[in-house]
Amino acid sequence: MKTGLSIFIAAFIALGTSWCGFVLAPLLQLGSAQQTVILQTTDNWPLQRTGAATLGLQVYRAYGCAACHTEQVRQTGSAFEVTLTSLGNQKPADFIEFTKSLFVLPGLANYTNAIAASLNGWNGGLPKTLLTATDKDVATEMADRLKAVGVKSETAIIATGPDIARGWGSRLSVAADFLYDQPVQLGSLRAGPDLANIGVRAPDANWQLAHLYAPKSVTPNSTMPSFKFLFEVRKVGASPSPEALNLPKEFAAADGFEIVPKPAAKQLVAYLLSLKANVPLYEAPFTPATAAK
Amino acid sequence: MNLTENNSSCDREINDSLRVPLLALFGGAAVWLIVGLVLGLIAGIKFHAPDFLGACPVMTYGRVAPAANDAVLYGFCIPAALGVALWIFARLSGQPLALPLVPVVAANLWHLGVFIGTAGILLGASSGHTWLEYPRAAAVILFAAFMLIAVSAAATFGWRRQQELYPSHWFLFAGLLWFPWIYSTANILLNSHQLPRGVVQPIIGWWFANNLVFVWLALVGVGTAFYFLPKIAARPLANSGYVLLAFLTLVFFGTWCGIPQGAPVPAWLPTLSSVAAALTLVPLLAISIVTLKTVCGSNVSCKGGPFCFIRFGVMSFIVSGILYVSAACPQYSRILNFTWFGAAQTQLQLLGFAAMILFGAIYELLPQVMGKPLPQPALAKAHFYLSMIGVLLFFVPLVLAGVVQGEKLADANIPFADANTAALKFLRVSTTGQMLILLGALLFAVNIFIMTIQWKLGIAKTVIAYIKSPLETAEVKS
């Protein structure tokens, strides 16, 4: 490091390589990404947003909702659930007897108690979840054994992890989910809940509007600030507006007045309702609830 | 470092050349620091009283919080660091500042850019990318202003009389290259009408944020500390081999950090980042050793003076670096991601590390530049203790809040609101810390402003005296 030139070269190489790695390479690898196909369908993902929802993303950006909310769900693992759909010609009691013969299998030894407990007092009602394994091979082996004795079963993949258990998503968020977001609002702090699937979790636009106007009116202990300025309080005209919020008394407007959302509030809610991330993808498989049972 | 770099007449020339640019840079920086801390306090209060100033869209949390962070980083840290760097370059070159008018223009331009940027965020024109919120017009101005200062610094460096290069040179010089590169890349790609597709945006955003908040601040902060610590301790910087190691590993490993674990991006990116973060322990260790060896055994009694500030700043850097590395470690990131822990690390990096070193440097150099002692030395001392206690009260509770919140969020049986409430208790304390830091910053501003006013009055007096002085009789006759 004797000359200015050598410092310059060292710094240039250092930053230049990381620029190639973290700017250029992602641009090349992902910059022209296209829609992907939803698993076991021919449908594309993600869909383009409607006009109102696209504008709503700008409202979300402008008010900095991402300062408190993330839009990315994490997953710690997957579980494989084997569900009986038909016993073939077996009687429930015979079947329970049969399962005991499976317990000697090395893979299943860990699940003996769980299976026995779930079959305890079972009267043969179907479908019946028999096994939830964290290991795919165990589930496959179970399904194979059942098939061999003429019992039909389905194996569902379930994403696991605290975020998913909280109902914040059916699977982890992946790059494809954000394809059309301009700008992408991943967020980095969960002062409020994750919103990756808020459109599935709280699909009622009126609930969303009431929550934005007065968060405490729908979530009593809420610490979310209210966004009252996205609404207009005005005198009721000849007839009440169909858009007027229907709020509990303590939050409602004075008599003769009504609270109606401004366009920005409606766009914001359209955006929130467009957040779903509820389809299985190749890189994030799971079995949607309706298909499993 | 060389202790006798200048003779006194040259000293005076250097100080004269720096006076106006440094007052312009530091004066504005002091204003922005206060603006940033006040906005930060407002944002903090909103967690205890969500509807505090809530009726007004300009003051909504999602605008105030980024405006506060940006005002501290872009408004205070960067111009203050540039001022200090100009001074160090001039001193080490044994030369007055080259093109002294350029940084004066640049300083005003810079502060204008921060003003437009802050107003932009508060009015809703934020770009929506962390640390890049300033709208494009502001970004262009900031870039131009930085380049002007870099030109002046590079010219001072190029025309130096002393041929030797010092460790501070490496760090500060790299900083001059770093900022324009990352800032232009990130703004061209993320502050435009047509953004790159999908998660390419956050990837570039993380790259930028890491290279600015972690690497750039480390370059200028450590570069400054490695100039002043030996100077004040009156002994050479220890172990120059380790210093070189620290510099090279910082630029080569540090620049690859920043992509969070578990981000919805191709897996090689976060993996690379976590390896780089682990390797970043090497420069952290090297910098600790060099600092310890330089500082320990020197008999400087610091008593709240510049030495204290800078020493505390280096310690904060080490702690903040360790927090940064641990958050990149997959086991911990599962708990710490998306919690207050990240904010704690950022605030320590900005207010505990960068700002403290810059305060110390400014308190040390400004009296020399102005040719008179600090007008209120007692306030500077009080500033140190307020800031130190304030920083500790600010970041320690935030770290704890992050850990507690993270552990509660990781257990799906605990309702979300409980995790939130648990964190809010700690936030009470950290708001107190914010107030102390703000109080300290006000004391800092008092010293800077008094010095500026005294200087302006001095000029005014000379001018008036000149006007009043009786004209030569010869002139009167003609």
Side-chain angles (χ1 to χ4, degrees):
Chain A
M1 290 292 141
K2 286 283 179 284
T3 65
L5 190 65
S6 53
I7 314 170
F8 184 81
I9 292 175
F12 191 91
I13 294 176
L15 185 53
T17 46
S18 95
W19 185 86
C20 291
F22 283 176
V23 177
L24 195 59
L27 274 171
L28 296 176
Q29 189 187 356
L30 301 167
S32 54
Q34 298 295 330
Q35 288 175 316
T36 46
V37 176
I38 299 174
L39 218 53
Q40 293 176 342
T41 69
T42 51
D43 299 338
N44 282 336
W45 177 260
L47 300 177
Q48 284 278 15
R49 292 204 165 82
T50 62
T54 306
L55 293 172
L57 171 55
Q58 299 312 319
V59 180
Y60 191 91
R61 167 192 63 70
Y63 289 104
C65 307
C68 289
H69 289 287
T70 54
E71 284 182 7
Q72 40 178 336
V73 171
R74 296 174 302 182
Q75 175 178 337
T76 48
S78 295
F80 300 86
E81 205 176 67
V82 181
T83 303
L84 300 179
T85 51
S86 152
L87 286 186
N89 49 15
Q90 295 213 25
K91 297 229 161 47
D94 297 341
F95 178 73
I96 293 176
E97 215 40 51
F98 160 74
T99 55
K100 288 185 182 147
S101 73
L102 298 176
F103 293 162
V104 293
L105 297 172
L108 282 173
N110 291 336
Y111 298 98
T112 310
N113 290 339
I115 296 175
S118 84
L119 289 177
N120 191 10
W122 176 55
N123 61 4
L126 289 172
K128 168 74 186 165
T129 302
L130 191 60
L131 169 77
T132 306
T134 47
D135 183 347
K136 187 172 184 187
D137 293 343
V138 173
T140 318
E141 180 167 15
M142 182 75 163
D144 289 349
R145 297 278 166 167
L146 294 177
K147 198 171 169 192
V149 294
V151 173
K152 285 192 187 143
S153 70
E154 278 174 3
T155 305
I157 309 174
I158 297 166
T160 57
D163 291 2
I164 289 158
R166 285 183 189 280
W168 290 349
S170 332
R171 56 158 169 85
L172 78 165
S173 299
V174 293
D177 295 336
F178 304 95
L179 191 65
Y180 293 131
D181 292 5
Q182 301 256 332
V184 174
Q185 296 284 282
L186 288 181
S188 61
L189 174 67
R190 283 179 176 166
D194 191 275
L195 298 179
N197 78 344
I198 189 69
V200 178
R201 212 156 77 215
D204 177 0
N206 291 321
W207 184 92
Q208 293 286 0
L209 287 168
H211 182 258
L212 285 173
Y213 179 78
K216 288 198 177 70
S217 72
V218 290
T219 312
N221 295 328
S222 177
T223 50
M224 170 157 149
S226 99
F227 288 84
K228 283 204 167 73
F229 46 76
L230 294 177
F231 297 80
E232 189 186 343
V233 181
R234 65 178 187 207
K235 264 214 169 81
V236 182
S239 62
S241 161
E243 286 179 343
L245 296 192
N246 192 358
L247 293 164
K249 219 182 188 103
E250 42 180 321
F251 299 97
D255 280 348
F257 288 83
E258 61 184 4
I259 299 162
V260 285
K262 292 184 188 164
K266 288 188 271 184
Q267 291 159 356
L268 179 57
V269 168
Y271 167 69
L272 291 174
L273 298 188
S274 77
L275 292 171
K276 293 205 166 95
N278 61 343
V279 298
L281 301 175
Y282 172 75
E283 61 272 41
F286 73 98
T287 312
T290 46
K293 304 259 154 88
Chain B
M1 198 164 293
N2 67 338
L3 302 168
T4 52
E5 63 209 13
N6 302 302
N7 57 35
S8 61
S9 81
C10 174
D11 250 11
R12 225 195 24 247
E13 255 178 74
I14 294 180
N15 288 333
D16 287 347
S17 72
L18 283 158
R19 197 164 299 135
V20 186
L22 292 198
L23 282 183
L25 283 164
F26 297 158
V31 173
W32 286 121
L33 178 65
I34 291 169
V35 171
L37 291 171
V38 168
L39 289 175
L41 195 59
I42 293 177
I45 292 174
K46 281 174 183 279
F47 273 98
H48 316 307
D51 290 329
F52 174 66
L53 300 181
C56 160
V58 169
M59 285 287 132
T60 193
Y61 179 82
R63 292 181 181 179
V64 174
N69 285 335
D70 285 0
V72 171
L73 177 58
Y74 290 99
F76 173 72
C77 292
I78 297 183
L82 288 176
V84 172
L86 285 179
W87 191 76
I88 295 177
F89 273 117
R91 300 287 299 194
L92 289 181
S93 300
Q95 276 276 58
L97 190 63
L99 317 171
L101 260 183
V102 173
V104 178
V105 174
N108 289 302
L109 210 54
W110 181 275
H111 295 310
L112 174 72
V114 176
F115 176 78
I116 296 179
T118 309
I121 296 179
L122 295 180
L123 295 174
S126 149
S127 78
H129 302 283
T130 315
W131 296 118
L132 278 172
E133 289 91 352
Y134 286 171
R136 203 159 7 145
V140 170
I141 295 176
L142 292 183
F143 181 80
F146 192 100
M147 290 312 281
L148 290 178
I149 291 184
V151 165
S152 168
T156 311
F157 174 76
W159 297 335
R160 68 194 184 278
R161 286 188 200 134
Q162 309 264 354
Q163 277 312 308
E164 205 178 337
L165 275 191
Y166 299 100
S168 291
H169 273 133
W170 315 336
F171 286 86
L172 296 175
F173 204 68
L176 291 183
L177 169 75
W178 224 257
F179 184 86
W181 189 335
I182 59 173
Y183 198 62
S184 57
T185 297
N187 273 296
I188 289 171
L189 290 169
L190 298 185
N191 222 343
S192 66
H193 287 304
Q194 191 54 42
L195 301 173
R197 287 219 144 172
V199 292
V200 179
Q201 297 165 39
I203 295 170
I204 296 170
W206 285 316
W207 172 81
F208 169 75
N210 168 66
N211 273 299
L212 181 62
V213 181
F214 181 61
V215 183
W216 194 83
L217 285 183
L219 286 173
V220 296
V222 173
T224 303
F226 281 1
Y227 177 84
F228 283 101
L229 284 178
K231 196 119 223 169
I232 302 175
R235 58 211 313 246
L237 190 63
N239 287 11
S240 64
Y242 280 17
V243 184
L244 181 58
L245 177 75
F247 172 71
L248 290 178
T249 49
L250 178 67
V251 292
F252 275 95
F253 301 149
T255 178
W256 289 93
C257 301
I259 314 271
Q261 297 301 303
V265 298
W268 64 272
L269 292 158
T271 308
L272 207 57
S273 261
S274 70
V275 173
L279 289 171
T280 304
L281 288 173
V282 176
L284 288 179
L285 194 67
I287 290 169
S288 324
I289 294 175
V290 173
T291 310
L292 276 179
K293 286 209 169 164
T294 309
V295 168
C296 289
S298 75
N299 36 18
V300 184
S301 67
C302 87
K303 294 203 193 103
F307 198 62
C308 281
F309 276 101
I310 297 176
R311 210 174 44 183
F312 182 83
V314 178
M315 287 191 299
S316 298
F317 173 68
I318 304 296
V319 176
S320 135
I322 291 171
L323 295 183
Y324 196 59
V325 171
S326 50
C329 170
Q331 291 96 306
Y332 300 137
S333 78
R334 227 166 269 150
I335 302 288
L336 300 176
N337 242 353
F338 307 145
T339 70
W340 286 103
F341 188 88
Q345 192 270 331
T346 308
Q347 298 300 338
L348 182 62
Q349 180 84 359
L350 290 180
L351 294 168
F353 159 52
M356 287 300 256
I357 287 187
L358 294 169
F359 291 142
I362 292 173
Y363 282 137
E364 176 72 16
L365 66 83
L366 207 54
Q368 299 184 37
V369 169
M370 303 306 291
K372 52 167 77 164
L374 279 184
Q376 300 288 340
L379 294 191
K381 244 177 229 175
H383 176 196
F384 173 71
Y385 292 107
L386 281 172
S387 279
M388 181 184 69
I389 299 171
V391 165
L392 292 176
L393 282 184
F394 190 15
F395 102 92
V396 175
L398 278 184
V399 169
L400 298 176
V403 174
V404 170
Q405 182 195 13
E407 288 195 325
K408 299 213 166 185
L409 285 180
D411 180 351
N413 293 320
I414 300 178
F416 177 81
D418 288 6
N420 225 351
T421 327
L424 286 184
K425 283 195 195 106
F426 293 100
L427 260 59
R428 298 256 142 92
V429 185
S430 66
T431 309
T432 323
Q434 276 179 296
M435 287 188 209
L436 295 184
I437 297 174
L438 173 61
L439 212 61
L442 287 170
L443 302 184
F444 170 73
V446 166
N447 261 317
I448 302 267
F449 293 155
I450 293 182
M451 276 194 140
T452 312
I453 291 169
Q454 280 176 345
W455 173 70
K456 287 196 171 153
L457 285 180
I459 293 182
K461 265 188 206 145
T462 336
V463 173
I464 292 170
Y466 177 76
I467 295 170
K468 277 194 183 157
S469 62
L471 295 175
E472 299 280 326
T473 35
E475 283 178 34
V476 174
K477 271 183 188 154
S478 66

